[in-house]
Amino acid sequence: MISVADRFSSRRADGFAQRTQQGLRALFAVGALWLLASCQQPQQIHLISGETMGTTWSVKLVDLPSGATLTSVREDIELLLETINRQMSTYRPDSDISRFNQAEAGSWHALPADFWRVIRYSLQLAEDTGGAFDPTVGPLVNLWGFGPDPKRNEPPAAAELAAIQARVGYQRLSWREADQVLLQPGDAYVDLSAVAKGYAVDKVADLLLGIGVENLLVEIGGELRAHGVKPAGQSWKVAIEKPLPGVREVAHIVAMNDMAIATSGDYRNYFQAGERRYSHIIDPRTGHPVSHHVVSVSVLHPRCAEADALATALTVMGVEEGMVWAEARQLAVLFMVQSGSTVEEHVSSAFRRLTAAEARP
Ligand code: AMP
Ligand code: MG
């Protein structure tokens, strides 16, 4: 028998992605992840939690290496998260990313290691997705009211949109690998919200593995990574829920064997104007929020940064383009798509394989 021990749908206002419009819809939204624990747990799971990036983080540990205490582990994690925020938070005017975004045209910037890794990966993904994923999307995110700028409740005027879109485009950025520098071409505004939480999950997991913790689960704002096993020896498991109003239907249970999972979707943050809902996920190719019927995309990947970025990229692509793209790369993805009053699932073959393996005795 399996019982529900924990849930990850309580996302609060997000410093990175300002997830402020939650409410009931989000509670029942697709992609809500539930941690499942067995009925019998002879050993205790240690829980540490806190706040970062405008949302919450939590870590579950089964074993503590000798010499470490929960307090020392918490301090290490907080220090690490602070370092990431100091580099990549667009909500901090003095962060490295904000200084880059405000810098003069033509100036080169030596980036600290984490920022460099995340922007390099984001630029590679931008190329690979033909710009569906784009770390320079920031001015559009802000224009549509989903960044540090004030929120809005109606779309911007076409002329305003055109002016802002001229600032967007990953091809505008140049970099030099040798000394890890990035060129500010003028008015480029980098936004790494689509990948930063996943990256932070990886850093926390790596930190814990590095000090000798073997059985752990790390979660930031709903993005997760797990290693080892729970006290009774079973895998960590997450259940992905279907968003049927008033019904809690578990669509998939996934064993997390050295695995990460991230979910993107328009249910997380949006504004409504008339009949239309405007998502915080923007298609940089059009300048508009995504407008297809993808409710959410979940991606399984050994690393959470990749899972996080890919989930956002696939949300932009939509189920048809996205599924072909994901299959070509053997990615494990699950799309939930609104179809009338129901939600349809579309899974890639890698996702099917991973979840089928779990169903075996
Ligand atoms: P996530 O919740 O991981 O899907 O990230 C969504 C956040 O990523 C948004 O709030 C924006 O800050 C940013 N974003 C929106 N659209 C894109 C895009 N097409 N490419 C990269 N980042 C995006
Ligand atoms: Mg993402």
Side-chain angles (χ1 to χ4, degrees), residues 322-331 333 347-350 352-353:
M323 197 54 93
V324 172
W325 192 88
E327 285 290 2
R329 290 157 184 79
Q330 283 295 296
L331 297 170
V333 309
V347 298
S348 69
S349 37
R352 195 174 297 117
R353 266 198 309 280

Side-chain angles (χ1 to χ4, degrees), residues 19 133 193-195 223 262-264 268 305 307-313:
R19 313 195 189 295
F133 185 92
S193 305
V195 55
E223 325 294 27
T263 300
S264 268
R268 283 186 169 190
D308 190 356
L310 289 166
T312 309

